[in-house]
Structures are given as C-alpha cells and as structure tokens.
C-alpha cells in the first residue's frame, strides 16, 4: 500500500532558517527556489531556441534540472526548441559545446557553472557573438552585460552557514566533516567556507578536515570515502554535504558499519533518502537532519533572467537563490516520501507531479 509522508510545520522551519540568515553579514536580497514569478511577461515575441549545457551530466539532479527548464520554457509559445549537452567533466568539451550552440545561432544558452571562473572566456565569447549567455549556480567574478547576460546563483555560502549554525545548535560539541563533489569544485569550496563561518559561533565543534572530502557526487565514491572516514576518525558527530546522494551514501556507510548515523545537514535531497529517514523514524532509530532543497528549479530562474536580458527588460528577480527547508527534524518538519516513485526522484522539485513521474519512467 502506498504511503506518502508530507511535510508539516514548514512555517516554523522557514522562520527558524530566516532568523539565522538575518544574523549574518550578507545583505543581498535572495529568493527561495520554490517561489516563482510568471514567465509570460518575459517571453517576448521572437522565436527563441534555448540550449542547456552541463559540465557533466547523467545523475538525477541534472536530468530533473533539464526537465525543469523544458517545463518553464513550455510556458512561452515563442520558445521553439530546448536542447541539451554535457561535457563529461571536461572544460574544453564544455567550451566547445557552448561554441557549437553559438555557431548554430541559439538565442539563449544556459550553462551550469561546473568550472567556475575558468569558463568565463567561453561565456564572454558567446555573449560578444550576440548570444544571451546565462551561467548559473555559482557566483562568478565576471561582469554582467560583458562576460555574460545574467548570473543567478545558488547562495552556497549562505546555505553552508545555515548548515554550520544548525550543526552547532544540534550537537553542541563534537566533530564534523564536510563532503563535497569533484576535486576543486567551486560550489563545494563555497559551501565549505560557509560551513566554517556557521561553525565559528560553536568552538566546541571541531572540523576534522580543513578541506572538503571529495566524493565526485557519486554514490559509490561517496560511500567509499565515508567508510575511510569511519576508519580514520572513531568519532564523527555530524556530516554536512552539498548533495543528497552523498548524504544517502554516508548513511549507508554508517549502517553497513553497524554504527549510529550522525546528524546530517545537506542540500538537494532524493526520495530514497527521505523514505529511509521516515522508516528510521517509525522504528525509533532516526538521526537529526536538515535538508535544504529544491535546487533543480534554479534553472528556471536562469531562463527567466535570460529572457529578460534578451528582451531588454529589468532583471525580474534577485540573483541570489536559496534552497528552501524541505525537512528539519529540529523543527518537526518531516521530508516528503513516496515509495511508488523511483529512489532518485527529487520531490522538492518544482516540476508538476505528473511530469516528475513521466521523467523517471523514461
């Protein structure tokens, strides 16, 4: 029989998180990633082809993000095509994909900032060629209007700070680590810096490694990395990560070792993790968790920013995007779990449920 768990007490969690942000030094406006404006006034009239370029793809987060931009683009009758390319983790292939779409005359290119500032020359070339170039997710050092048309970014530093504050409040004292993605990942570095900032108010919480633990955002690599951490450090009281898949891998590593799961703070959740947590709660063996999620919708903001720039309109939304509190055990907010959907479905997505189901039936 299907059992669907829905979050409760969201307002309490949101107020708690907002209060933490209000204490910080960051003054830039932000918007929750599940709060969308109407795209219709931004569409324009000229026929537009849109390309989404990833530095690497294949995981459920990237697939969902592409479905999100397709869904958002479907609301503009003049967007006649949405296509996709991924570069397999290679900067040269990534730049070549962008150059290829420019040569084909695509009006808007949206690109995930896998390579940080290293890709700015490719962005600048596209922008100078007349393409509306919109790199998104990381806050780049280039100039808007010169190096690219817009740069909406996931406020990883802010999210990392939230994690640090939450871990400090949750465990009080103890030891922690941060799991990142690819070696040198710009977004993982920023998350970690925010995490360190959030932990500053909690001197009794020790960060065991000054660098993030590389997982390649891959479940097998992440579980192996966490198994190594368990062997190296007999005590880890909290783990923060920048991807729910690596959090799930960490949970599995602890359960395989027959050890209690430490407190978990992470971004970008998945259905398997949520269902595993709900099962643990029902059995009385649950661990503390904070899940900020909904980041697959960032690409919608990128498309809207690109359309505004293309049509000479003022930027319609803040650049800084913040994942919303999808689950917070301290605030009594349980995650949404649907055992009838695939394990890698992200139920925090802004996709309509019928499109979410169709995506994972493919």
């Amino acid at each position: 029989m299907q059992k669907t768990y829905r979050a409760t007490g969201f307002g309490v969690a949101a107020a708690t998180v907002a209060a933490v942000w209000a204490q910080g030094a960051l003054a830039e406006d932000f918007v929750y990633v599940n709060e969308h404006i109407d795209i219709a006034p931004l569409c324009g009239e000229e026929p537009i082809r849109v390309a989404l370029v990833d530095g690497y793809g294949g995981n459920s987060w990237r697939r969902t993000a592409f479905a999100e931009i397709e869904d958002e683009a479907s609301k503009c009758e003049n967007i006649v095509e949405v296509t996709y390319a991924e570069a397999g983790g290679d900067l040269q292939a990534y730049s070549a994909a962008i150059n290829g779409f420019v040569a084909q005359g695509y009006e808007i290119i949206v690109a995930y900032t896998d390579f940080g500032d290293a890709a700015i020359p490719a962005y600048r070339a596209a922008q100078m060629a007349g393409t509306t170039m919109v790199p998104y997710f990381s806050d780049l050092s280039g100039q808007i209007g010169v190096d690219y048309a817009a740069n909406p970014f996931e406020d990883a530093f802010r999210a990392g700070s939230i994690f640090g504050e939450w871990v400090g409040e949750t465990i009080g004292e103890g030891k922690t680590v941060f799991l990142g993605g690819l070696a040198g990942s710009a977004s993982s570095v920023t998350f970690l810096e925010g995490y360190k900032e959030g932990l500053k108010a909690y001197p009794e919480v020790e960060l065991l490694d000054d660098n993030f633990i590389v997982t390649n955002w891959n479940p097998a690599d992440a579980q192996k990395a966490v198994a190594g951490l368990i062997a190296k450090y007999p005590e880890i009281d909290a783990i923060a990560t920048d991807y729910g898949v690596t959090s799930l891998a960490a949970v599995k590593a602890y359960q395989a070792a027959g050890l209690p799961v430490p407190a978990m703070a992470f971004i970008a959740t998945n259905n398997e993790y949520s269902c595993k947590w709900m099962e643990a709660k029902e059995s009385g063996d649950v661990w503390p968790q904070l899940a900020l999620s909904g980041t697959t919708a960032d690409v919608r903001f990128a498309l809207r920013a690109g359309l505004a720039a293309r049509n000479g309109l003022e930027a319609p939304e803040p650049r800084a995007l913040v994942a919303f509190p999808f689950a917070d055990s301290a605030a009594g907010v349980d995650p949404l779990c649907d055992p009838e959907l695939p394990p890698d479905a992200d139920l925090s997505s802004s996709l309509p449920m019928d499109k979410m189901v169709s995506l994972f039936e493919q």
Side-chain angles (χ1 to χ4, degrees):
M1 182 176 68
Q2 179 177 0
K3 296 165 69 177
T4 301
Y5 304 95
R6 297 196 177 277
T8 58
F10 173 79
V12 174
T16 301
V17 174
V20 173
W21 285 330
Q23 296 170 6
L26 297 177
E28 184 169 5
D29 290 339
F30 68 87
V31 61
Y32 288 113
V33 296
N34 61 336
E35 297 178 353
H36 300 287
I37 64 170
D38 182 8
I39 195 174
L42 308 173
C43 294
E45 297 181 356
E46 70 165 327
I48 287 177
R49 292 182 298 163
V50 177
L52 174 63
V53 180
D54 279 340
Y56 84 102
N59 64 35
S60 61
W61 193 97
R62 305 289 179 140
R63 290 175 61 200
T64 305
F66 182 56
E68 295 247 21
I69 197 172
E70 286 185 309
D71 181 62
E72 191 71 9
S74 71
K75 302 170 186 176
C76 292
E77 292 183 359
N78 60 310
I79 296 183
V80 297
E81 182 183 339
V82 181
T83 193
Y84 178 77
E86 66 94 10
D90 184 89
L91 174 58
Q92 289 186 335
Y94 178 82
S95 300
I98 292 171
N99 294 340
F101 286 125
V102 171
Q104 295 174 61
Y106 277 75
E107 286 77 18
I108 296 177
I109 299 176
V110 175
Y112 188 98
T113 54
D114 288 284
F115 303 102
D117 286 349
I120 287 180
Y123 302 152
R124 183 188 306 119
Q127 184 71 15
M128 292 180 65
T131 298
T132 300
M133 186 71 230
V134 188
Y136 83 103
F137 203 82
S138 296
D139 188 15
L140 301 175
S141 66
Q143 183 179 348
I144 292 175
V146 176
D147 296 307
Y148 33 76
N151 176 217
F153 67 96
E154 186 66 36
D155 199 335
F157 186 89
R158 196 183 299 266
S161 298
I162 299 299
F163 292 164
E165 292 274 2
W166 183 88
V167 165
E169 287 290 331
T170 299
I171 69 173
E173 61 180 275
K175 302 179 187 301
T176 185
V177 293
F178 189 90
L179 308 183
L182 301 170
S185 166
S187 61
S188 293
V189 168
T190 306
F191 268 110
L192 175 60
E193 291 306 311
Y195 192 52
K196 292 176 180 178
E197 181 66 26
L199 289 174
K200 283 182 179 179
Y202 303 91
E204 299 302 315
V205 178
E206 178 188 357
L207 184 62
L208 291 171
D209 195 315
D210 197 50
N211 301 306
F212 68 80
I213 308 302
V214 173
T215 69
N216 299 316
W217 292 310
N218 176 286
D221 292 346
Q223 190 163 344
K224 182 178 178 180
V226 175
L229 290 172
I230 291 172
K232 184 176 182 180
Y233 301 113
E235 177 189 351
I236 299 177
D237 302 285
I239 294 177
T241 87
D242 59 1
Y243 189 29
V245 167
T246 57
S247 293
L248 177 61
V251 169
K252 290 180 177 179
Y254 271 86
Q255 291 178 335
L259 298 172
V261 178
M264 305 290 295
F266 62 95
I267 198 164
T269 187
N270 62 77
N271 194 37
E272 183 179 0
Y273 180 100
S274 296
C275 291
K276 183 177 282 289
W277 192 90
M278 291 303 301
E279 290 169 1
K281 181 181 179 181
E282 289 185 344
S283 67
D285 195 28
V286 79
W287 55 93
Q289 73 161 354
L290 171 66
L292 302 182
S293 206
T295 55
T296 58
D298 288 7
V299 73
R300 295 179 185 261
F301 292 85
L303 177 60
R304 292 194 292 265
L307 286 168
R310 186 82 190 173
N311 293 315
L313 303 174
E314 186 176 344
E317 295 159 294
R319 287 204 311 125
L321 311 176
V322 175
F324 71 96
F326 179 72
D328 183 352
S329 58
V333 182
D334 292 344
L336 178 61
C337 154
D338 189 337
E340 292 194 355
L341 285 178
D344 55 356
D346 183 350
L347 301 188
S348 71
S349 165
S350 292
L351 276 178
M353 187 55 68
D354 60 333
K355 293 189 176 183
M356 174 68 72
V357 172
S358 296
L359 172 65
F360 289 101
E361 285 178 344
Q362 298 173 10

